[in-house]
């Protein structure tokens, strides 16, 4: 009885601090906790991938946010256009002007980024209608869209760097590998993008063999931003002697 009363009093105190415990013995386990193993996506992060950093051949790393200008303007818009055309997500615009996308999280991130710099997918498709596509598959590790550009047909490809880069002839492979490793070590999820002219018949068939002699556009680093309240929560855990690990 004494233990039950003590646990009840403690549970009431915790409830006043917005901590609810279903089973009283769980309080004992919580009191003895020395390590929190937390999921990452959607728990520590906002579950919203964002294109945050780019690597462009000849320029190096550049920020993806804001309106591109100077030497980075043309290659950044090229990356964004390819990312928006090779895409299966859907963009939604709210009454207040904010945008969100549904579908694959990577595709959604590229749509929102491209729209933010003035390259909406619907407008791009009106000027560059799609003739065919290759859907992403885990075994293939890339996706492609074939679009008409005036009198030409261009392929727009995005995927893993070691799957996309060989389509571009292979020159400069070491620089791309170093750039990919550098972005990954900063915590980014890295995708490669390429585009180039292809045969129209092969494009209409969605033939992967058409993807050769493309131009490598660069790398995009995507990140799922940390929830604003997480740094303080982790700091308070550590101050209380509780360590934190990510299990994802």
């Amino acid at each position: 009885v004494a233990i039950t009363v003590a646990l009840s009093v403690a549970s009431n105190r915790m409830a006043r601090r917005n901590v609810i415990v279903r089973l009283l013995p769980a309080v004992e386990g919580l009191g003895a906790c020395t390590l929190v193993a937390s999921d990452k996506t959607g728990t520590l992060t906002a579950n919203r991938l964002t294109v945050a950093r780019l690597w462009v051949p000849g320029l190096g790393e550049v920020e993806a946010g804001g309106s591109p200008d100077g030497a980075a303007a043309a290659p950044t818009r090229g990356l964004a256009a390819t990312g928006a055309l090779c895409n299966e997500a859907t963009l939604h615009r709210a009454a207040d002007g904010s945008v969100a996308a549904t579908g694959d999280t990577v595709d959604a991130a590229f749509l929102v980024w491209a729209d933010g710099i003035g390259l909406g997918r619907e407008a791009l498709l009106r000027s560059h209608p799609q003739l065919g596509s290759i859907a992403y598959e885990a075994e293939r590790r890339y996706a492609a869209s074939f679009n008409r550009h005036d009198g030409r047909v261009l392929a727009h490809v995005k995927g893993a760097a070691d799957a996309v880069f060989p389509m571009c002839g292979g020159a400069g492979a070491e620089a791309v590998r170093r750039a990919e490793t550098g972005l990954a070590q900063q915590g980014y999820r890295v995708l490669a993008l390429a585009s180039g002219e292809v045969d129209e018949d092969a494009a209409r068939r969605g033939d992967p063999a058409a993807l050769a002699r493309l131009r490598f556009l660069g790398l995009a680093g995507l990140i799922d931003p940390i929830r604003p309240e997480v740094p303080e929560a982790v700091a308070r855990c550590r101050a209380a002697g509780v360590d934190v690990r990510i299990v994802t």
Side-chain angles (χ1 to χ4, degrees), residues 142-159:
Y142 70 84
S145 175
F146 301 99
N147 300 77
R148 185 174 297 284
H149 290 249
D150 299 325
R152 304 183 300 158
V153 176
L154 298 188
H156 296 276
V157 184
K158 75 173 187 298

Side-chain angles (χ1 to χ4, degrees), residues 167-190:
M167 303 173 186
C168 307
E174 182 60 26
V176 173
R177 187 194 64 78
R178 286 197 305 268
E180 181 188 18
T181 300
L183 287 169
Q185 288 176 342
Q186 296 175 58
Y188 294 104
R189 181 176 180 177
V190 186

Side-chain angles (χ1 to χ4, degrees), residues 2-233:
I3 292 174
T4 301
V5 171
L7 290 174
S8 298
V9 171
S11 295
N12 283 329
R13 288 176 178 172
M14 294 172 70
R16 286 195 294 270
R17 299 178 65 175
N18 299 319
V19 178
I20 304 299
V21 180
R22 290 177 180 271
L23 301 174
L24 291 177
V27 178
E28 292 185 47
L30 185 61
C33 176
T34 58
L35 175 71
V36 173
S38 173
D39 180 41
K40 176 179 71 70
T41 305
T43 302
L44 298 180
T45 67
N47 196 21
R48 186 182 66 253
L49 272 180
T50 304
V51 180
R53 195 101 176 131
L54 307 173
W55 182 84
V56 179
L59 288 178
E61 288 191 23
V62 298
E63 294 290 337
S67 298
D69 54 16
T76 296
R77 292 181 70 84
L79 282 162
T82 288
L85 287 169
C86 180
N87 205 295
E88 295 182 356
T90 303
L91 194 72
H92 307 280
R93 197 177 305 277
D96 61 1
S98 62
V99 296
T102 55
D104 178 78
T105 54
V106 171
D107 282 351
F110 275 100
L111 271 196
V112 172
W113 171 51
D115 187 79
I117 62 174
L119 295 172
R121 175 172 163 80
E122 291 184 2
L124 285 171
L125 286 174
R126 283 196 296 270
S127 56
H128 308 304
Q130 187 179 67
L131 302 181
S133 64
I134 299 174
Y136 177 86
E137 292 183 6
E139 298 80 8
R140 190 179 282 134
R141 297 191 302 135
Y142 70 84
S145 175
F146 301 99
N147 300 77
R148 185 174 297 284
H149 290 249
D150 299 325
R152 304 183 300 158
V153 176
L154 298 188
H156 296 276
V157 184
K158 75 173 187 298
D162 58 353
V164 174
F165 189 74
M167 303 173 186
C168 307
E174 182 60 26
V176 173
R177 187 194 64 78
R178 286 197 305 268
E180 181 188 18
T181 300
L183 287 169
Q185 288 176 342
Q186 296 175 58
Y188 294 104
R189 181 176 180 177
V190 186
L191 272 79
L193 297 101
S195 69
E197 189 169 357
V198 297
D199 176 73
E200 181 170 341
D201 290 337
R204 291 185 181 278
R205 295 194 306 270
D207 187 356
L211 302 176
R213 298 184 300 278
L214 303 182
R215 182 168 65 93
F216 185 73
L217 300 177
L219 302 172
L222 296 86
I223 200 159
D224 188 358
I226 296 290
R227 288 181 178 272
E229 65 272 21
V230 165
E232 182 186 358

